[in-house]
Amino acid sequence: MSDLLWQKPGVTVDAAIQAFLAGDDVVLDREFFLHDIEASRAHAQGLARIAILAEDELAGIERELDVLAGDFSAGRFVLDDRYEDGHSAIEARLTERLGDAGRRIHTGRSRNDQVLVATRLWLKAQLARTQALCVEVAGIALDRAAAERDVPLPGYTHLQRAVVSSLGMWWSAWAEAFIDNAARARDTLAWIDANPLGSAAGYGVNLPLDRDHTTAALGFGRMQVAATYAQLSRGKFEMAALEALSSAMLDLRRLAWDLSLFTAAEFGFVALPAQYTTGSSIMPNKRNPDVIELMRATYASVAAARCEIEQLLSLPSGYHRDLQVSKGALFHGFGKGLQALALLPDLLRNLDWNTDRMRGALEPSMYATDLAVDMAREGVPFRDAYRQAADPARWAEGDPAASLLARVSPGAAADPGLEVLRARLVDVQGMSGS
Ligand code: ARG
């Protein structure tokens, strides 16, 4: 490892202690290393604006940061345990290449605000991706809701046959869910869009740092003003982002559940695209829906990440090394969550319905509610109509198309409000940049 930035003369470093301190931290820092470099550039520009760096020093730093970003992306620079962490690696590299200019880069900043700003930029990118994926999912669901609007599907409560439903209703449910999830990602992104750089160790510095410049240069919506709050927001903002992601994961879990039921032979309503199924090692006949099962399980990873961070935050104000542990949880949660979400659009696009099986699962009892409401419309008090309609003798093979056509309550089969959902989708899409 290169010399530790904080090494005191005469104190030897114990390898086991050092390994415990470092953990997998430097490897995790790869995840946001490019953001750390980007923030270092803005910080250097800010230092030049208050004459801590000369213009030629700034030019050298900007050039070397570009080279470092390129080397890192191409695999020519590997961030590994030669360095304590990604933050010190940037300083070591600049010092090695530029001498004094590199030794000046850390003026007025701390690794405490450095890790905050890199994480914050990374979080913004993940939330933008979450938003864009949710928009894509909602768009597919909405298109299919329109295309398959009047196809009958049994509607269940308690997994018991309840009333006639439709593919239009099934799809529009997921459309609206993922519009909400996209909006939540967008709103959370706006909520965390605050620049912590310049808060230093959490107490500011005796320099007139140009925080407005770094805020604008890094594309933040606002400055996180109170230097001590910047540290308090670590973990809190990560949790908010994971909550936004888990909102999508929660719906994905239930969608996956529907599909795993509907593909079972007992239902036989839908066939998954072949790439989304696997075989069995022993049973030659099997096609298993493993992909949707792992999608369903992903909620656990995201919820666990949020929970791990929450457990860390029982701390007084100020920086504590405990906070470092939030990084692994955060990267794992978002890594798993976005990987699952990214597979959803193609899955939905390629679902193949067996409309005969869906229609075959409808039975006369599923028109009983229509019957009771019809009688109530004719003036029979609903509770009396309900009793009469409960009599199986009154049930007959119904017409699903007629049942769906009569379901005129807003949001139901005959009036699904797809244009309202379309307008909301356009609105939430506009901000996602997708
Ligand atoms: N790896 C550290 C973290 O994630 C960086 C900040 C270190 N700051 C410190 N005062 N030791 O928290």
Side-chain angles (χ1 to χ4, degrees):
M1 182 181 294
S2 61
D3 287 348
L4 296 164
L5 295 170
W6 41 266
Q7 185 77 52
K8 301 281 181 293
V11 181
T12 50
V13 172
D14 179 277
I17 292 175
Q18 196 46 44
F20 179 67
L21 267 173
D24 52 0
D25 197 49
V26 70
V27 174
L28 290 174
D29 283 357
R30 291 174 186 168
E31 183 70 31
F32 58 36
F33 195 55
L34 291 175
H35 293 303
D36 201 350
I37 293 173
E38 182 193 353
S40 296
R41 172 196 306 279
H43 177 66
Q45 290 167 352
L47 290 180
R49 292 166 76 91
I50 57 169
I52 298 291
L53 287 174
E55 281 306 320
D56 63 322
E57 290 179 315
L58 172 62
I61 286 174
E62 294 200 288
R63 187 188 66 240
E64 286 305 327
L65 288 173
D66 274 346
V67 173
L68 179 56
D71 285 354
F72 175 73
S73 300
R76 288 187 297 269
F77 175 86
V78 179
L79 188 56
D80 58 21
D81 59 11
R82 291 172 297 154
Y83 304 97
E84 183 185 14
D85 54 32
H87 318 303
S88 30
I90 294 174
E91 183 174 334
R93 167 86 168 215
L94 292 177
T95 302
E96 174 193 314
R97 301 287 180 108
L98 300 167
D100 280 354
R103 274 188 282 274
R104 288 194 219 282
I105 182 73
H106 212 58
T107 315
R109 84 172 170 183
S110 157
R111 283 182 296 168
N112 296 357
D113 63 338
Q114 203 177 345
V115 65
L116 265 177
V117 69
T119 308
R120 194 71 46 91
L121 291 167
W122 184 91
L123 275 178
K124 286 180 60 180
Q126 308 313 304
L127 285 169
R129 173 112 175 102
T130 306
Q131 181 186 352
L133 286 170
C134 289
V135 161
E136 190 181 355
V137 167
I140 294 162
L142 208 47
D143 288 347
R144 291 201 71 167
E148 298 167 313
R149 184 183 140 151
D150 299 321
V151 178
L153 171 78
Y156 299 89
T157 70
H158 314 267
L159 277 182
Q160 308 292 312
R161 288 173 177 169
V163 293
V164 179
S165 181
S166 64
L167 283 184
M169 292 191 73
W170 191 84
W171 281 119
S172 66
W174 302 116
E176 189 166 7
F178 279 90
I179 290 168
D180 279 353
N181 298 332
R184 184 150 181 202
R186 174 195 63 189
D187 295 348
T188 305
L189 198 163
W191 194 70
I192 67 156
D193 192 8
N195 178 22
L197 184 61
S199 58
Y203 303 97
V205 284
N206 42 340
L207 281 174
L209 294 176
D210 193 341
R211 297 193 67 199
D212 287 328
H213 171 77
T214 59
T215 300
L218 292 172
F220 280 109
R222 65 184 188 280
M223 186 199 298
Q224 198 164 27
V225 178
T228 304
Y229 175 58
Q231 285 303 320
L232 283 176
S233 69
R234 188 166 181 198
K236 174 181 170 181
F237 281 19
E238 283 82 338
M239 278 171 61
L242 285 163
E243 279 157 23
L245 177 65
S246 65
S247 175
M249 291 298 114
L250 194 69
D251 288 316
L252 175 55
R253 181 164 72 172
R254 301 186 75 177
L255 172 59
W257 238 127
D258 269 14
L259 293 179
S260 77
L261 276 179
F262 290 174
T263 58
E266 282 68 14
F267 284 81
F269 293 169
V270 77
L272 301 176
Q275 313 92 291
Y276 284 73
T277 63
T278 62
S280 154
S281 62
I282 178 172
M283 298 169 283
N285 53 321
K286 295 298 296 292
R287 294 306 299 170
N288 295 325
D290 298 42
V291 179
I292 54 175
E293 290 167 346
L294 288 174
M295 284 178 161
R296 187 167 61 194
T298 303
Y299 182 83
S301 303
V302 177
R306 184 204 168 279
C307 183
E308 184 171 358
I309 295 173
E310 186 181 23
Q311 298 311 311
L312 294 170
L313 295 185
S314 177
L315 294 168
S317 65
Y319 175 84
H320 306 273
R321 193 67 179 264
D322 311 50
L323 293 168
Q324 172 173 297
V325 177
S326 64
K327 264 187 324 195
L330 179 69
F331 295 162
H332 184 71
F334 261 100
K336 289 282 178 200
L338 289 180
Q339 191 185 23
L341 208 50
L343 294 178
L344 188 55
D346 259 347
L347 170 66
L348 297 184
R349 231 179 250 120
N350 294 303
L351 286 181
D352 189 11
W353 298 102
N354 184 333
T355 54
D356 289 343
R357 289 294 302 252
M358 286 148 56
R359 186 178 282 260
L362 300 174
E363 59 177 36
S365 70
M366 299 175 85
Y367 300 89
T369 307
D370 288 347
L371 184 61
V373 174
D374 274 345
M375 285 192 273
R377 191 166 353 94
E378 300 303 319
V380 182
F382 178 76
R383 196 47 64 208
D384 298 334
Y386 171 96
R387 271 191 212 100
Q388 292 177 42
D391 179 1
R394 303 192 65 135
W395 300 345
E397 203 58 60
D399 174 8
S403 174
L404 293 176
L405 201 64
R407 205 81 55 74
V408 292
S409 58
D415 182 13
L418 301 184
E419 61 300 327
V420 179
L421 296 180
R422 179 72 62 189
R424 278 196 67 209
L425 178 60
V426 168
D427 177 55
V428 73
Q429 188 166 27
M431 306 277 295
S432 79
S434 61

